Amino acid sequence: MSAEERPHPVTNLRLYGLACLIGGLGILLVLLQALWMMSRQQASPTLVTIYICIPLVAPVIFALLPTRRSVDLSTRYEWHWPVVYLTLGLPAALTLLCLFLVAVNHDFDHIAGVPFFLGLIVGGDLGRLLRCLLLRRAAKTA
């Protein structure tokens, strides 16, 4: 494959944007399965509400915690690097796991930890995406 045919490296902004899109679609799929394919006894409204709130609250909590690495707009990753596979593959894999477990168990309440973990992953990606957008805006104004 020549240099012209290879895909361009992915930036942090695009990487976390794609991860949020994949994770957000996964959250919607699990939510649809929990709400429309199960009765109220199998999908507690309280747990479903918490599940919806986790990706929205997680960026605020993660912003208050210290981090080991900062998000930099100039960082670029090749598409075949493990960080890209992990960032994009983890939400997809957790979504498939959640859908499978809910379908097999016919109960959202007993496996709620896995969807909550998916919500935390998506919330972390959303926080990094917001940080990238703020850095990009600050770079444009400076």
Side-chain angles (χ1 to χ4, degrees), residues 6-78:
R6 284 192 302 170
H8 297 291
V10 63
T11 61
N12 272 335
L13 184 65
R14 181 181 286 176
L15 179 65
Y16 294 123
L18 287 172
C20 285
L21 179 68
I22 292 169
L25 289 174
I27 286 174
L28 285 176
L29 284 173
V30 173
L31 189 64
L32 286 173
Q33 187 181 28
L35 291 178
W36 280 283
M37 295 185 180
M38 297 185 181
S39 65
R40 283 195 176 275
Q41 292 82 19
Q42 296 169 331
S44 168
T46 306
L47 287 178
V48 172
T49 304
I50 292 171
Y51 176 61
I52 293 170
C53 293
I54 286 176
L56 304 174
V57 173
V60 175
I61 294 171
F62 288 147
L64 298 174
L65 297 174
T67 58
R68 290 187 183 185
R69 65 179 175 95
S70 63
V71 175
D72 186 15
L73 286 178
S74 63
T75 305
R76 296 183 181 277
Y77 304 104
E78 293 293 330

Side-chain angles (χ1 to χ4, degrees), residues 103-115:
V104 168
N105 293 333
H106 300 290
D107 196 351
F108 182 81
D109 295 350
H110 288 112
I111 59 117
V114 179

Side-chain angles (χ1 to χ4, degrees), residues 92-130:
L94 283 174
T95 297
L96 293 175
L97 179 65
C98 290
L99 292 174
F100 175 75
L101 289 175
V102 170
V104 168
N105 293 333
H106 300 290
D107 196 351
F108 182 81
D109 295 350
H110 288 112
I111 59 117
V114 179
F116 287 179
F117 184 60
L118 172 63
L120 283 174
I121 296 294
V122 174
D125 290 337
L126 182 61
R128 289 192 275 297
L129 176 64
L130 291 174

Side-chain angles (χ1 to χ4, degrees), residues 137-142:
R137 184 175 180 185
K140 282 185 179 181
T141 59

